[in-house]
Every structure is written in structure tokens, then in C-alpha cells.
Amino acid sequence: MASDDDPRRKPRIDGSRQWEIFLRERSAEPMRHVGSVTAPSADIATEQATTLFDYAASALWLCPADEVRRLGGNDLAEKGRTESTGGAKTGVSQR
Amino acid sequence: MISISKLLCGQTAEGDGLRYDDPDADIEQIREEKQKRPVVVWNTTRRCNLYCEHCYAGADLDPAQGELSTAEAKGLIDDLADYDVPVLLFSGGEPLVREDLVELVDYATDRGIRSVLSTNGTLITEEKAQALKDAGLSYAGVSVDGLQERNDRFRGQDGAFEAAVRGIENCLSVDLKTGLRYTITEHNAADMEDVVDLLYDVGVDRFCFYHLDYGGRGGDIADADLDDEAQRRAVNRLFDMTREYHAEGEEIETLLVGNYADSAYVVEYAEKELGEEHAEDIHQYLRVNGGDPTGERVADVDYRGDVHLTQFWQSYSLGNVRDRPFGDIWDDEWNPLLARLREREKHLTGKCASCQYQDVCRGSSRLRALAGSGDLFGPDPQCYLTAEERGVSAEPAD
């Protein structure tokens, strides 16, 4: 497995980006968050979101997840901290 | 997950309570009220020491940004316990590369969640197996995808087969229940029986066979998926092999995962081999089982906290557990995709719409349907049933 085409030598991150999806069913209703898609380009993300939600949407918005500033939310670390002994050994806490 | 040994040979096993509502089962079952909650697969990390061709998680050797910390992981486990999740499957990447795995298994066990592990087995020393057992781990499923040469090529590392078998032996040596996970493709279908025979001699008695799903790198090798005839041969062989083992008094547990055409096919098989009465009993079990569990009886949380409809469908996330507790995300049927998936019988098209086995299959994989036709509710391209088996006179023009 040490040849030049060893898959372990190839780039692992394919450059895909996560896109948050917002949907409005009817014009009198607010936009609501309905999850996210991960895709290598904006066009493919749009195509995926359309496939999954077009039937239900009068409007569909996509926003790069890494452009969203999040305040509040579910503080998992606070919930788990009292029992934690080892701290964050395996990753960082930001998305 | 379809227990072939249960359906064809009447075997009961721990975990059947999650697949069948069988009040007559003669061993302790997971409590009935918890069956309404999903089994949660947690991809604890994206890191892995191997590089498998079919990895749905697209695992890497290097750490990925955004993994849940130990404290966050415990917060997640608290949320899952509060939601009465019955089983947490620690998966990856390779979960054993996380230094805190034993601590997290211990924490989940303390919170009343049954902890199970999906691993490539290569990092399980006897000491690690003992620590996991002591932490309350109930089961370790070890992935092997063929005999030595084929498995090592598939997994991208020489010696992976031997290391996995050593890992299995280490688990068994500390009395930690261990089973095989095997993804069937055209490259390794011929090895299935030999791998079962080999691992049975080692002491394994649970064998779980997965159909290929088209998520992550699995989508890159969709052309290695079995064609209809090859699938029928492989599934038939598994049925026969299970019965042969049981006929010899060797009560192996065999399961099929990922293609619910198998539900229909096992009923058809039973009608021919075991008689109509037994076949109807099987059909009734499978009606309770409910067919494909995506978005209902199985859920996935990835390494950075995104919640998915199934572990194989990583390209779409319902939301993130850093934003909302898992239960709030899972119960939010305002999401039209989640709501439609949970009533998918109303939306299935093509040959699924008229199939007599819709009640035990439910269209099988929506991810493969998307990959095959771009239609979320179109037929699963891996359905190998004939028109006659589906109860229609001719193939529709899908």
C-alpha cells in the first residue's frame, strides 16, 4: 500500500462547504431554518436544497454556514462540564 | 436491520426488542417504551487510522475541525438520555482514536443508555477491550470486508485483516460480545461464507451484513454495488448458510442491513422453503419492524454535532446539537422533509407505489433513490424484486 496512488496520500478534505437552508412555505409566513446541505459548490448546494424542499417552498434561501454568527444555543459543554475530567482532547469547540 | 436467524430459525437475541415487538421472546428485552426513540449513531470523530473505499463518513487520518470536546460529548449524552434514547452506537471515523472513548462509554452507561461500538478493530488491545467492558460497553461490531488480501486492499492498509481479528480475539478474551460488520459489494460477495467460517472458529457468533449505501465515499464506488441477480444470490446464500449452521446446532445470529427489499425476499424464501404459515409469521414480524428506519428509528449525530436522518446521509443535516438539544431537532416535524419521510407511503412513486411489500420495506433507501434518479420518493435502484414478487403483472415505466 506504499505506492504513489496510495489513497492515504490523496487530499482528504474535498473542499465541501456547509450551507444553511431557510424556507418560506407561503408568502405571509416567516422564513424558517430547515437544516443544511454540504456540497462542493453553491450551484450543487442549491440543486440539493431544491431537490429536498422545492415542493414545500414559495421561497428558499441558502447561506454559507461559516458566515452565520450564532449567539445563544445549546451549551453542551456547560451541561457536561461538571462530570468532565479530561477536557477537550480531541478537537475544538467551534464549528 | 433484519434478523435472519430470528425469522428463519426462531433465534432470539439481545436487541431484538428494538426490531420486533415480540412479547414472547424468551430473553430480556430492551424496554418497550424506549423503542419509540431512535437508536443514535454518533460519529465521535472523523479521524481514522485506515482509509476504506466505502466509508460513508469520508474519514481522514488528520483531526477535523469542530469535533465535540469531552465536555460537549457528555452534554450530548445528557441530552440523549433525557430524550430516552435506548442505544448509542459509538462510531467514527475510528472511535478508538478518541482518547476519551472509555470515559464517554462509562458516562453513557451511567446515564442508562446501552452503549455499543462500531470499529475497524485494529486498535483494540486486550487492555482497551477490558476497559471498554468495565465501562459498560455491551457490544463491539468489527468491520471486516473480505478475506485478508481483499479486506486489506479495501481498507487501504496491509495487515488490517490480521489486526482486526486480533482485536476481535481481544474482545472475546474479556467476554465482550463481538460481531462482524461486512459491507457486501461485487468485490467481496464471494468471501462472505469463508469470513463467517473463519470468524466462527475464532469465537464470533454474530454476523451483520450491510448493503452498500451511496453516502460519502460509498457513492464513489456505487458501480461496485451488486446487480439484481448477484444480490439475490448473496442474500439466498446467507439464508441457506444461517439455516445450515442452525441445523448443526451452531446458533449464529445473522442480520441484513440497508436494503429492505430483503424483508420481502425473506418472506418469499420462507414461502418456498418453510411453508405459508411460517412465511405469514415472518411477514407479521416485519410489519412491526417497519421497514427502512431513516428519520424514525435510527438517527445520526456527526463529529461536529450535525444531526442526520441516517448515518449514511451525511450531505443533509436537520440541525446541530450545539444549537438545539437532539430531541428538539428530531421532533421538529415543521421540517417538511422530516414530516414527509415519516409518512413516506403517501409519497412513494414508480414500482414502490404498487408493491405488495410496501408495508415491510417502505421504499428502502431514500438516499439511493436520490442518487439513482434525483427523485426523493422514486424507487430504490437496489430493489431486486421481480414484478411477480412485488405482486404486479408487469414492470411499470419508472
Side-chain angles (χ1 to χ4, degrees), chain B residues 146-259:
Chain B
L147 292 171
Q148 182 166 355
E149 185 180 344
R150 219 180 308 259
N151 177 75
D152 290 358
R153 192 182 320 128
F154 202 60
R155 301 205 159 268
Q157 187 170 99
D158 290 336
F161 182 88
E162 285 185 3
V165 174
R166 270 198 308 276
I168 290 170
E169 290 171 334
N170 288 332
C171 290
L172 295 173
S173 72
V174 301
D175 200 26
L176 174 57
K177 186 166 175 63
T178 308
L180 167 75
R181 299 168 57 91
Y182 191 107
T183 301
I184 312 168
T185 67
E186 66 176 17
H187 300 312
N188 66 5
D191 285 354
M192 281 171 47
E193 283 179 76
D194 290 337
V195 170
V196 170
D197 292 343
L198 188 152
L199 293 182
Y200 185 74
D201 288 343
V202 169
V204 173
D205 62 1
R206 188 177 196 265
F207 302 92
C208 204
F209 292 91
Y210 285 73
H211 291 271
L212 182 68
D213 218 325
Y214 300 164
R217 288 200 289 274
D220 298 337
I221 62 163
D223 59 351
D225 205 355
L226 300 179
D227 64 24
D228 290 357
E229 276 310 307
Q231 286 201 77
R232 297 170 75 91
R233 278 197 303 275
V235 172
N236 252 317
R237 193 60 211 121
L238 181 61
F239 294 165
D240 289 342
M241 180 184 69
T242 302
R243 294 176 64 211
E244 288 160 12
Y245 262 88
H246 280 249
E248 295 292 323
E250 295 162 337
E251 297 197 344
I252 61 170
E253 186 183 3
T254 51
L255 303 106
L256 276 164
V257 187
N259 185 352

Side-chain angles (χ1 to χ4, degrees), chain A residues 7-8 12-13 18 32 34-38 51 53 55 74 79-80 83-85 87-88 90 92 94-95, chain B residues 46 51 60-61 66-67 69-71 74 79 98 103 107 156 306 315-317 321-323 334-335 340 370:
Chain A
R8 288 170 295 168
R12 301 296 169 79
I13 303 298
Q18 191 174 21
R32 291 187 65 166
V34 288
S36 63
V37 290
T38 300
T51 300
F53 292 106
Y55 57 87
N74 185 29
K79 286 181 178 176
E83 293 294 328
S84 176
T85 56
T90 60
V92 296
Q94 297 84 29
R95 263 189 282 166
Chain B
R46 201 182 181 200
Y51 193 84
D60 279 321
L61 281 177
E67 283 184 2
S69 67
T70 303
K74 289 181 176 178
D79 282 351
R98 271 194 80 124
E103 182 181 350
Y107 192 81
D306 280 317
S315 61
Y316 171 69
S317 165
V321 295
R322 284 171 169 143
D323 294 329
W334 189 92
N335 183 319
R340 282 165 72 97
L370 266 178

Side-chain angles (χ1 to χ4, degrees), chain A residues 58-75:
Chain A
S58 69
L60 210 52
W61 291 1
L62 275 75
C63 174
D66 52 17
E67 295 289 347
V68 176
R69 294 290 172 265
R70 295 175 170 85
L71 304 173
N74 185 29
D75 192 345

Side-chain angles (χ1 to χ4, degrees), chain B residues 87-104:
Chain B
V87 178
L88 180 57
L89 172 60
F90 290 83
S91 185
E94 170 49 51
L96 280 150
V97 305
R98 271 194 80 124
E99 296 171 27
D100 55 1
L101 179 66
V102 172
E103 182 181 350
L104 296 176

Side-chain angles (χ1 to χ4, degrees), chain B residues 85-140:
Chain B
V85 164
V87 178
L88 180 57
L89 172 60
F90 290 83
S91 185
E94 170 49 51
L96 280 150
V97 305
R98 271 194 80 124
E99 296 171 27
D100 55 1
L101 179 66
V102 172
E103 182 181 350
L104 296 176
V105 168
D106 186 56
Y107 192 81
T109 305
D110 281 350
R111 290 300 322 261
I113 302 177
R114 183 171 179 249
S115 299
V116 297
L117 180 70
S118 174
T119 170
N120 62 44
T122 62
L123 301 176
I124 304 180
T125 61
E126 190 169 337
E127 294 73 24
K128 184 66 80 174
Q130 185 66 61
L132 288 165
K133 167 90 174 168
D134 292 344
L137 189 75
S138 297
Y139 174 75

Side-chain angles (χ1 to χ4, degrees), chain B residues 330-341:
Chain B
W330 200 246
D331 285 343
D332 187 0
E333 292 193 9
W334 189 92
N335 183 319
L337 174 58
L338 190 58
R340 282 165 72 97
L341 276 173

